[in-house]
Structures are given as structure tokens and as C-alpha cells.
Amino acid sequence: MASQENAVEIAIIGAGSVGISVAYYLSRKYGRTNIAIIDPRDPMSLTSAQSGENYRNWWPHPVMTAFTNDSIRLLEEIAAESDNRINMTRRGYTLITRSSDLTPLMEGLYRGYGDEAEHLIRIHEGKGPHTSYQPAATANWKEAPEGVDVLRDQDLIRSTFPAYSHDVSTILHVRRAGAISGQQLGQFMLEYLKANGSRVVRGDVRSIKTGVDFTLEIQTSEGTITLNAEKVVNAAGPFLNDIAAMTGEKLGISCIYQQKIAFEDREAIVPRNLPFTIDLDGQQLSWTDEEREILREDPATSRLTEFMQGGIHCRPDGAEDGKWIKLGWAFNHNPSDPHDPEPIDAQFPDIVLRGASRLQPGLATYIGRLPRGAHHYGGFYTTTDENWPLIGPMSTPGIYVAGALSGFGTMAACITGSLCADWIAGEVTAPYAKMLSPSRYGDAALMAELKAESSQGHL
């Protein structure tokens, strides 16, 4: 029989934002304190350290909208309790398009908000005295309106968002959206856990044996130890597949490496009060004829001369009186092995700047001239084919999964932890819980619906 020191009620593998959140809500909601969080790295490192730290409550499916709405509610509770230690702001998301055909976008908007759509979606086609549009005058999350404003009048768009190019014809301003500090959120939760008896084990799980309890073999800097646990949570981020395989299960998760840059906007191109901005429109990057020929000659770069998907995003980073901004573009679709060296692409800063300068032309100033100290980094989008998370029990009794949060880990960490804690405690009440669990793969109708949705692309 294992010593008390080497036995826990719940072992959580992974000390990123999701694993920490599972432990936090097990402790906070259900009083579970005999918890070990296991990871060979420091807490909130690896993928959690590379987060865009954004959140939004609109998705083209009502399940994901409800899921993120619940997570934002939990973030608000922590912000209120901690005197906004997590630096929660809410200027919204602006989704930009130049398209004249808004049918697919508006259908997704109404579908995502479901029964509440009629009173949450406001369409503005003029800037006269009767317009009800309220610009994001403050970053205070308590004062922002709900729903989404659809701006169709170009004069209104130009007067409100002068930094955008003048060919923008429509803006969807999602209002329950903004940014937080993911690191502060993780630290807040860790402090609570340590004060209430949970612990972090610095080590790499090498095997999991089943029996009356689970026996985990863990490689630490001081040698191999064993840990007995009544229940195990796989929250290993990019390594979800590895942990699942230790218990003879398969998850079918892909790891897609995506990159960002952050730098000091010394020319003040991006206004500090600008919402998180996503350019929805695809484009062909602007190259000289000579550059285009050189790129076409190399199979690794020829794709950069072709039409590229939309989704470039930009936002001010840090304090409102600061100067830093972040740019990202998740155009990579090729899975990577997370055990290999990170596939960082030295061309990415130039690529994303060229793409982003289509919407905010002033950013072209920085092409080939990034300020000293610019940060180019990346992280894995751990994702299912349908781009929905996996939260809940596996086939093996006592094993749970909490992961596959793709590019929405920060915004969904709280509800993922809370929902997984509900499954473990046997207190599941969320109406979408089963649809986000591994059991959804037995629902042929749901999977057909999600396949059809994924063929139209993800936001």
C-alpha cells in the first residue's frame, strides 16, 4: 500500500491553464484538497505562456457560445473577487470584412446567439442622431454592452475606426469580448490551491497502471517516484495523445503550430483603445515581381504567392498608456509533433505584417524594420477535427480528459476546469456537457452537423 505522501485522490497531468483550473474548481466547488498537479515544466509555461489572452462569447454554434459565455462569467467572478488582478478588459472584438455578401456571416451570427439573437444583434446602417451604436469608450468590463453591433455605414465606420482602411464595408463589433492576463489567472488559482492543500509535482509521467487505484510512474530530477491516485485527469495540452495511450485509449488530437509577434508600436499606428481586430477576408500578399518569382521557386514558400485565408488579428498589448501590440495569423494547417523542436518560421513576422497592413496600412512601416526587442513566438493549437474541446470521462473508469482547446484556451480554461470538476464529482448540470465529452463521437447526427460546419471554416 502506498504511503500517504505518495497517494492522492486526484492526479492532474498538466500544469497549464486547464490543468490548474480543473484543480481549482475541484477544490473551490467540491472541497477536494488531496490533489497533485504533475508537469515536468513550470506551471503556466509551454502553450499557456504563448496565449493571445483574448476572450469572446460569439461562435457560429450555440453550444460553443453557451460554453464561452459560462467561462466569461467565471472570469468575471474572479475579476470581481480579486480586485481585477487578472486585468480583465472589454473593448470587444471587431470582425472586419469588405464583402458585399453577408449572408453566411449573418447566418452564423444568428445561429450562434440562438434564441437571444433578436435582442442581442443590433444593425446600424447610418450614423445619424438616432443610431444606438455605442463605441467602446472604456475598457471597464463592467460597463460594456452585451451582444453585437453590426456596422454597415462607411461614414460611421470611418469616424469610429479611422485606423482601418477605407475599403471596409462591414464591422461586427462583438461586445462581450476583450482580454485578460492568463498568467495572473493561473497564479491566482495556484495560490488558492497551495493554501488549501493541493501540490505541484515537478516530473514527467512515464506510465499509468490500472488497478484498484491508478499507479503513475513519474520521472523527476531526483529519480523515479510512484504516485497512487483514485482518479486521473489528462490535461496535458499538446501531449494529450501520449497520456491517453498510456491507458490504451486514443484521442485523435492534432497539434498545429501557430505564431505571433509582439513589438513596440513606436509610430503609434494602432490606437490604444482599438478592440481586438480580426480581418476576415482572404488576400494575396503584396510582393514585387522579383520577390514573387523567388518565392515561387521554393516549394516551402510558393504558397505565400497564392491566395491566403483571412483571420489576421491585431490588438494593443498591455496597459492603455503603453506602446506594445500583438499580431497573429493562424494560417498553418500542417500538424506537428510536439516532441520535435518548435517549427518557428523566420519569415512569419514579414508575412503577418504584410497581411495586417492591408487593414491597417500604417503597419507597412514595420515590414523589414521591426523595432529592437520584438518578440516572435509560437504555440500549439491542440485540436479535434471539429474544433470543439474534449472534457469529461474516458472509456477507462476514473480517467478524465480536459483539453483540445485549440486557440481558445485562455477564454475557456475556467469553464473547462469547472465542467471537468463536475464530471469527477458526479454533479454535471451543463446542458452541453455531453456534447463536449468524448462520448459525442457516438452521436452520429451531431458529428455530421459538426463536419458540415467545419467544412465552412472556423473563426
Side-chain angles (χ1 to χ4, degrees), residues 138-323:
T138 174
N140 189 334
W141 63 270
K142 296 179 180 180
E143 298 181 17
E146 294 287 323
V148 58
D149 292 283
V150 181
L151 280 58
R152 299 295 311 276
D153 182 271
Q154 285 198 321
D155 289 338
L156 176 61
I157 290 170
R158 290 176 186 178
S159 63
T160 309
F161 300 104
Y164 296 154
S165 62
H166 288 179
D167 60 352
V168 172
S169 62
T170 302
I171 294 178
L172 275 62
H173 191 175
V174 180
R175 308 313 293 264
R176 198 178 190 200
I180 64 161
S181 169
Q183 290 294 315
Q184 286 300 318
L185 175 65
Q187 189 60 34
F188 173 85
M189 290 181 170
L190 280 171
E191 289 173 7
Y192 179 90
L193 289 166
K194 290 178 180 178
N196 287 276
S198 298
R199 58 188 168 118
V200 175
V201 176
R202 184 73 176 266
D204 191 12
V205 176
R206 295 298 179 86
S207 69
I208 303 173
K209 296 179 182 178
T210 59
V212 177
D213 290 335
F214 298 97
T215 302
L216 285 68
E217 182 182 281
I218 304 168
Q219 183 66 45
T220 73
S221 59
E222 299 177 354
T224 301
I225 64 171
T226 59
L227 184 71
N228 279 19
E230 296 175 24
K231 294 180 174 64
V232 174
V233 178
N234 180 0
F239 306 105
L240 284 170
N241 284 331
D242 294 354
I243 301 302
M246 292 180 188
T247 59
E249 304 219 36
K250 292 184 178 180
L251 285 172
I253 302 296
S254 297
C255 293
I256 313 294
Y257 192 76
Q258 305 293 4
Q259 301 172 71
K260 300 180 181 73
I261 59 172
F263 60 92
E264 190 177 9
D265 181 16
R266 295 175 180 174
E267 302 299 323
I269 303 300
V270 177
R272 299 308 295 174
N273 63 353
L274 196 72
F276 181 88
T277 298
I278 301 177
D279 189 341
L280 298 175
D281 298 340
Q283 62 174 293
Q284 281 191 294
L285 296 179
S286 176
W287 305 102
T288 66
D289 291 342
E290 181 181 3
E291 289 170 336
R292 192 174 299 278
E293 285 304 312
I294 293 172
L295 291 168
R296 280 176 175 163
E297 290 173 359
D298 186 344
T301 58
S302 62
R303 64 191 174 96
L304 301 178
T305 67
E306 301 167 358
F307 189 82
M308 298 183 68
Q309 69 176 55
I312 297 172
H313 55 261
C314 171
R315 77 164 172 89
D317 190 31
E320 294 220 355
D321 59 355
K323 293 184 177 181

